[in-house]
Amino acid sequence: MTLDNPNSAQPRFLADTGGSSSSLIFRLTVTDPGGLSASDQCSVVVNGAASSVDLSGQWLSLTRYWWAGPGADTLTGKIRVKNLGSQAAPSTVLYVYQSSDPAFQTTDLFLGKSNVSSITAGGYVDVNLTLIAPHNPSSVYIIGILDATNALSETNEANNAVVSGLIR
């Protein structure tokens, strides 16, 4: 382990523990211009974590344009897809559904899908959507399902549904 700038007031380093837990011991010695010095040490435990992918998302915008007569509604929106994991996520697929309630069910109306590009660990991508749905005069929820084909093994598979608020 090497400090990036040992003479800095806030030096940094990368604790490469190989994914396992480790205990690191730090010793700081301060010397004044007259040659007097004092030392102290502390121990820091670094918890290791296996590399992982964990996709989660949130609606940044969503608008529904609908008409009073028969026809179609147009939905435009943007979902931010985040990779909360410690490993890059390969590209995947986002499926979008219309629902009468905020819980996804396989009977919900499928509106379309969009490809999601790869995402670095801790990064995000914004996905712009334009979807057409049969006209529905009721208020609805729009639900995005990340990694809809279950191609990725994720740390938390339960956070893949991105549910909008009730839209009119």
Side-chain angles (χ1 to χ4, degrees):
M1 169 176 63
T2 304
L3 297 176
D4 68 340
N5 184 354
N7 296 319
S8 168
Q10 296 179 346
R12 296 179 299 171
F13 68 95
L14 176 63
D16 184 5
T17 63
S20 61
S21 295
S22 296
S23 180
L24 303 176
I25 299 173
F26 294 91
R27 179 175 200 79
L28 174 66
T29 302
V30 178
T31 305
D32 72 8
L36 296 174
S37 66
S39 296
D40 198 2
Q41 76 178 33
C42 69
S43 178
V44 175
V45 176
V46 178
N47 290 324
S51 293
S52 64
V53 171
D54 183 20
L55 298 182
S56 181
Q58 72 182 74
W59 285 98
L60 297 179
S61 64
L62 182 60
T63 305
R64 177 181 177 190
Y65 302 98
W66 57 281
W67 320 111
D73 296 343
T74 301
L75 298 153
T76 61
K78 183 186 292 188
I79 291 180
R80 176 161 290 167
V81 180
K82 301 175 189 176
N83 179 3
L84 305 176
S86 59
Q87 179 181 12
S91 59
T92 187
V93 180
L94 165 74
Y95 283 22
V96 182
Y97 297 84
Q98 180 176 291
S99 179
S100 60
D101 59 56
F104 172 69
Q105 299 170 29
T106 56
T107 56
D108 289 338
L109 177 63
F110 176 71
L111 298 178
K113 65 182 182 177
S114 182
N115 291 323
V116 178
S117 64
S118 61
I119 308 171
T120 60
Y124 70 88
V125 297
D126 291 339
V127 179
N128 293 304
L129 300 166
T130 299
L131 304 161
I132 306 297
H135 176 64
N136 182 341
S138 304
S139 296
V140 295
Y141 292 89
I142 305 300
I143 302 174
I145 304 294
L146 300 166
D147 187 30
T149 59
N150 280 329
L152 304 177
S153 175
E154 296 183 62
T155 305
N156 181 359
E157 296 284 353
N159 66 351
N160 285 1
V162 184
V163 181
S164 74
L166 199 57
I167 62 169
R168 301 186 195 301

